[in-house]
Amino acid sequence: MSSKALKFFAAGLAALTAIASVVASGPASAQVSGDVVKIGILNDQSGLYSDLAGVGSVEAARLAIEEFGGQVLGKKIELVWADHQNKADIGAGIARAWFDKDGVDAIADFSNSSVGFAVQALANERKKITLITAASSDFTGKACTPLSTQWVYNSYSNGYGLARLMTQRGLDSVYLLTVDYAFGHAFANDVRKAVTDNGGKVVGELRFPLNSSDLSSYLLQGQASKAKLIVAASAGSDMTSIVKQATEFGITPKQALAAPSVFLTDVHSMGLQAAQGLQFLTAFYWDRTAASRAWSEKFFARRKAMPTMTQAGVYSAVRHYLKAIEAAKTDDAAAVANKMRELPIKDMNIENGRVREDGQVMHDMYLVEVKKPAESKRAWDYYKVVAAVPAEQAFQPLGASACPLVKK
């Protein structure tokens, strides 16, 4: 072969190599299914959990997406949302349509444990991601999957942890008022275990229907029990009704009242006069740090309300999910779930978090107390942070997990 031919051959080979290099270096964008990353927010948008989650969670997810410029791996990020009406069959039906017809890659929030369990199982079958902010500890226990993670809090952190603190303070006889579905049952179970583990006794329990407005008869039976502590194993308007009606009936001066699942919007609804002195554990408070204040002010500008811990958790979950796609260079659920467990979590609220083997997001919790009206300087200035509870103390030890993914 002549030198001229050799040069021509070499030039051609170099061109082919360059083309191959481009193809080889570009699978990141080619590995996004449907050329779009689609995230769904599925929660209560019209019922008792709509204030603590609802469209506020949609806005929180939108803020996370905007941080990425609306794209990941060069592909558009789309956000869809729907109201499951606190019904597992409706939630599962929406999720099925999203997965099978609309190409949704991940669903976040839920705000209802029964709906969450239905979608978590379906998502695992469909090889999709779930980012759960509902409260049952079973999401990372017996129901855990390789593709699901649980954010914010659970019935162990806020049920067991709070009941342990109260029992150790001498409130060692407890009466449970439990909302009658998966969420309430999970909280009641964890409260009961904490009380008995710490030498106390649960003297009785009444279960009431979800979204009950008149809880007077239940409260009066709790009062008659003479228990030192009444625990409202409920959330949203059910919980606020118990707190307000306990004040109205004069129960709280004589018996302590604990509510394991309290949100900023609940305190806003009750008012400081009714809620003052109430202590509970939270994963987020908007005014805790400069970073949390800055992010919360952006949220407030859009929603005219400060974010709850669920809404902050949705932001954190969606942001971490997108970072995992970026690191995995694909939106394949298994690859992304693995990256979510590998990558540390650091954002405006979580300073040194991680996703544990069972899918539990490990982060510090905070014991807070509701301020007296005279202590509050402005609207939404409601909490005093009493103490930080390290993640390893806040959440159930991994060795005690019922998750089948955990190596024993």
Side-chain angles (χ1 to χ4, degrees), residues 318-363:
V318 170
R319 183 178 183 271
H320 191 64
Y321 170 67
L322 293 173
K323 287 177 73 70
I325 292 176
E326 195 173 56
K329 296 182 170 54
T330 176
D331 67 346
D332 173 77
V336 172
N338 287 337
K339 281 295 178 186
M340 289 182 72
R341 284 162 169 77
E342 289 176 16
L343 295 173
I345 305 171
K346 184 173 176 58
D347 55 37
M348 51 75 196
N349 179 48
I350 300 175
E351 284 132 24
N352 187 27
R354 62 185 176 90
V355 180
R356 204 166 63 175
E357 184 180 346
D358 57 354
Q360 178 64 58
V361 175
M362 300 295 289
H363 56 82

Side-chain angles (χ1 to χ4, degrees), residues 160-181:
Y160 188 98
L162 184 63
R164 176 179 57 199
L165 289 171
M166 302 297 269
T167 304
Q168 290 173 349
R169 288 170 52 197
L171 300 173
D172 53 5
S173 62
V174 175
Y175 195 90
L176 283 162
L177 295 180
T178 304
V179 62
D180 193 11
Y181 81 106

Side-chain angles (χ1 to χ4, degrees), residues 175-194:
Y175 195 90
L176 283 162
L177 295 180
T178 304
V179 62
D180 193 11
Y181 81 106
F183 167 92
H185 302 167
F187 265 104
N189 289 340
D190 283 319
V191 167
R192 190 179 294 106
K193 187 174 189 307

